[in-house]
Amino acid sequence: MTDPSRADVADHPVTRDAALARLNAFVPLAGAAYAKGRNADHGTGQHDSVSRLSAALRRRSVTEIDVLTPVLAQHGHDAAAFVNEVFWRTYFKGWLEARPDTWHAMLRALAALDSQLLRDDALAKRHAAALCGQTGIDCFDHWMGELEQTGYLHNWARMQFASIWIFTLGLPWELGARAMFVRLIDADPASNTLSWRWVAGLHTRGKAYLADAALIAQVTGGRFAPVGLATKAAIPDEPLPPAAIPPRDVVEPAPDAPTLLWITPDDCALETEPALASLMVRAVVIVDASGDPAGGGARADRAALDDALARAAGHWNVAAFRIPDAGAIAALAQEIGAAQVVTSRVAVGPGLDALDRARTALDAAGIGLAEHLRAWDAAAWPHATRGYYALRKTIPQLLGVAGLSVLPPPGEPLP
């Protein structure tokens, strides 16, 4: 891959108009057809049984409500499988917000592993073979190549890939999570990190996912016949995650204050949020990520942010700015006479580093920093601090809170 105009972004759109067009094409398939075919991996470039909206949803170029409104209107309860997948994304994000040290512990582990790779030749060779797709395991090597070339893997294939990485190749899950994250066009800190932990037997403690050669052959239509896969899951020895804590406090925007609106990859459709409609926006800004690594996610971020910047500037009829680093936001806010900088709620992950740089400079300049939490997250996250099924049973209620009129029949919860 070389730039966001290639087929990776075309097949997995990140701009709002392209994502809405993809949604329109997918809606007829989002009911029984999705439930039946969503787990089949038909191969590179043939992932038509799934929505291919994950890259846009990760950046909220389209929102959960944008997606579920037409799906539920057409399919009602028959869309239960797809609705569940949307809520899995919400669940993972809410769970990581309640346990942010899980993210930081992974970063600490990666720093230690990078040092170990310099000393341990055997580990370094196994790691390099996995990254190059030269393990001799046919499906794994193919999926590594597909990930490298397209920035995408079918979700079912991601599970097999992670399981083989951890249990057959004997590699630390943190290295695999990083390798996937930097390549994925839909890279999401919560979904990626916690999915790897789930496969490893660390999220639902003791319940690991073990890849099965016969199942891989079946689901891929006989394209692969892997040999030598682990038959036992050696679950990593890690402490239990900390207890859930309340999400970090944020300051909500003041509606009557001159505002610099900061668009981040956490929310690329701020102009669609009714709660922000009355803001006194004087300018909109993005941090220009052109110097970021060339991974699929970084390139998709640039495409999504450029699109979001143009839409927001047009919506509020204000100037648009690109700055080289979040630390420069305070100077721009002073230049345009803004009393506050407003952004979306920045989720646990790499975006918090940029937020901290901005906050330091803004505090020194006496300018407020506000983060807007969407109502979808505010309603769902309190139910996402334990296992997924605690959240799942509240889905009808959460859909109602979101104003979605098509709910499951009485007494018939989403499966």
Side-chain angles (χ1 to χ4, degrees), residues 282-293:
R282 291 194 172 179
V284 293
V285 64
I286 62 170
V287 174
D288 187 348
S290 58
D292 282 0

Side-chain angles (χ1 to χ4, degrees), residues 50 52 64 70 142 148 161 167 174 184 188 215 231 233 235 275 318 350 390 404:
V50 294
R52 302 204 313 267
E64 295 85 351
H142 169 86
E148 188 73 54
F161 181 98
F167 301 122
E174 296 94 341
L184 282 174
D188 178 87
L215 183 60
T231 57
I235 295 173
V318 294
L404 297 172

Side-chain angles (χ1 to χ4, degrees), residues 349-370:
L352 285 179
D353 291 339
L355 188 76
D356 288 342
R357 291 195 297 276
R359 190 190 309 279
T360 298
L362 288 166
D363 286 347
I367 298 172
L369 175 62

Side-chain angles (χ1 to χ4, degrees), residues 96-371:
L96 195 61
E97 290 297 313
R99 294 175 176 84
D101 193 60
T102 301
W103 170 261
H104 299 300
M106 182 183 70
L107 298 184
R108 292 191 295 269
L110 284 169
L113 286 165
D114 284 338
S115 296
Q116 185 179 349
L117 286 168
L118 297 176
R119 304 188 308 270
D120 188 334
D121 289 343
L123 176 63
K125 287 178 180 177
R126 295 203 318 276
H127 183 233
L131 294 180
C132 294
Q134 296 177 354
T135 67
I137 301 171
D138 57 1
C139 57
F140 182 94
D141 292 346
H142 169 86
W143 287 325
M144 187 71 239
E146 182 178 357
L147 180 60
E148 188 73 54
Q149 294 162 16
T150 71
Y152 183 79
L153 282 183
H154 187 286
N155 186 64
W156 181 87
R158 296 183 200 196
M159 293 166 53
Q160 318 312 308
F161 181 98
S163 180
I164 293 169
W165 178 288
I166 298 166
F167 301 122
T168 298
L169 301 179
L171 290 166
W173 72 265
E174 296 94 341
L175 291 176
R178 179 174 65 184
M180 188 171 279
F181 184 82
V182 300
R183 290 166 173 80
L184 282 174
I185 194 171
D186 59 359
D188 178 87
S191 293
N192 186 68
T193 302
L194 299 181
S195 292
W196 275 82
R197 289 179 59 83
W198 182 82
V199 169
L202 298 171
H203 186 73
T204 302
R205 188 59 54 144
K207 294 183 179 179
Y209 181 85
L210 199 59
D212 177 82
L215 183 60
I216 290 172
Q218 175 188 336
V219 173
T220 61
R223 298 199 318 277
F224 304 116
V227 295
L229 300 189
T231 57
K232 292 184 179 180
I235 295 173
D237 183 17
E238 288 191 14
L240 288 169
I245 61 174
R248 62 183 177 82
D249 292 333
V250 298
V251 176
E252 279 287 337
D256 56 351
T259 296
L260 173 61
L261 190 69
W262 177 17
I263 302 170
T264 75
D266 281 301
D267 198 320
C268 288
L270 292 177
E271 78 282 357
T272 70
E273 173 65 342
L276 301 181
S278 62
L279 279 182
M280 296 173 57
V281 176
R282 291 194 172 179
V284 293
V285 64
I286 62 170
V287 174
D288 187 348
S290 58
D292 282 0
R299 287 194 302 278
D301 280 350
R302 293 194 287 271
L305 287 171
D306 284 346
D307 174 63
L309 182 67
R311 283 187 286 103
H315 177 81
W316 276 284
N317 193 27
V318 294
F321 293 90
R322 291 175 173 82
I323 58 174
D325 184 83
I329 282 180
L332 177 58
Q334 288 178 310
E335 180 183 331
I336 67 168
Q340 67 177 353
V341 170
V342 173
T343 189
S344 60
R345 173 67 155 71
V346 177
V348 173
L352 285 179
D353 291 339
L355 188 76
D356 288 342
R357 291 195 297 276
R359 190 190 309 279
T360 298
L362 288 166
D363 286 347
I367 298 172
L369 175 62
E371 296 174 76

